[in-house]
Amino acid sequence: MGVSWVSMDFSKLAKLGKATEREEAAQTGERLTAIVKVSTPGYRPAQVEVRKELGPLLFTAELLASDLDALKRDPSVVEVSPAKRLPLQKLPAAQRYGR
């Protein structure tokens, strides 16, 4: 039994999420949490503070939103995936605590 691979063209994907969200965050000096993928094992850009190592090419990091453009221009950075904030939902206390 073999593994079947699906070929995808990643060349048209951007390194970063929506520009409007990034621009708004950069203007406020907001700190972001992101998953960062690099092309060189062990490489960690100076702009990021590593939170958790996920492997030699992948880690989570905290960074300033204003540093996203520098990371986009860094040839050793393959992808930056900023965490998205989820809206809080108001639930009855019993549902919040699994009762």
Side-chain angles (χ1 to χ4, degrees), residues 2 10 16-17 26 28 34 36 45 50 54 58-60 63 67 78-79 85-86 92-93 96 99:
F10 291 100
L16 305 172
T28 62
V36 181
V50 176
L54 303 173
L58 195 65
F59 57 94
T60 61
L63 58 131
D67 288 332
V78 175
E79 184 177 356
R85 289 196 178 126
L86 299 175
R96 281 196 304 259
R99 294 182 207 160

Side-chain angles (χ1 to χ4, degrees), residues 2-5 8 10-11 15-16 21 27 33-34 38 43 50-51 56 64 66 68 75-76 80 90 98:
V3 176
S4 68
W5 295 94
M8 289 184 69
F10 291 100
S11 64
K15 280 188 182 182
L16 305 172
E21 292 172 5
Q27 289 174 357
T33 301
V38 296
Y43 175 72
V50 176
R51 291 177 48 138
L64 291 174
S66 56
L68 285 171
S76 294
V80 178
K90 293 185 178 183

Side-chain angles (χ1 to χ4, degrees), residues 5-32:
W5 295 94
V6 176
S7 178
M8 289 184 69
D9 178 13
F10 291 100
S11 64
K12 293 185 173 51
L13 296 178
K15 280 188 182 182
L16 305 172
K18 293 180 182 177
T20 54
E21 292 172 5
R22 291 194 321 269
E23 290 166 359
E24 183 179 307
Q27 289 174 357
T28 62
E30 185 178 349
R31 287 192 65 78
L32 303 175

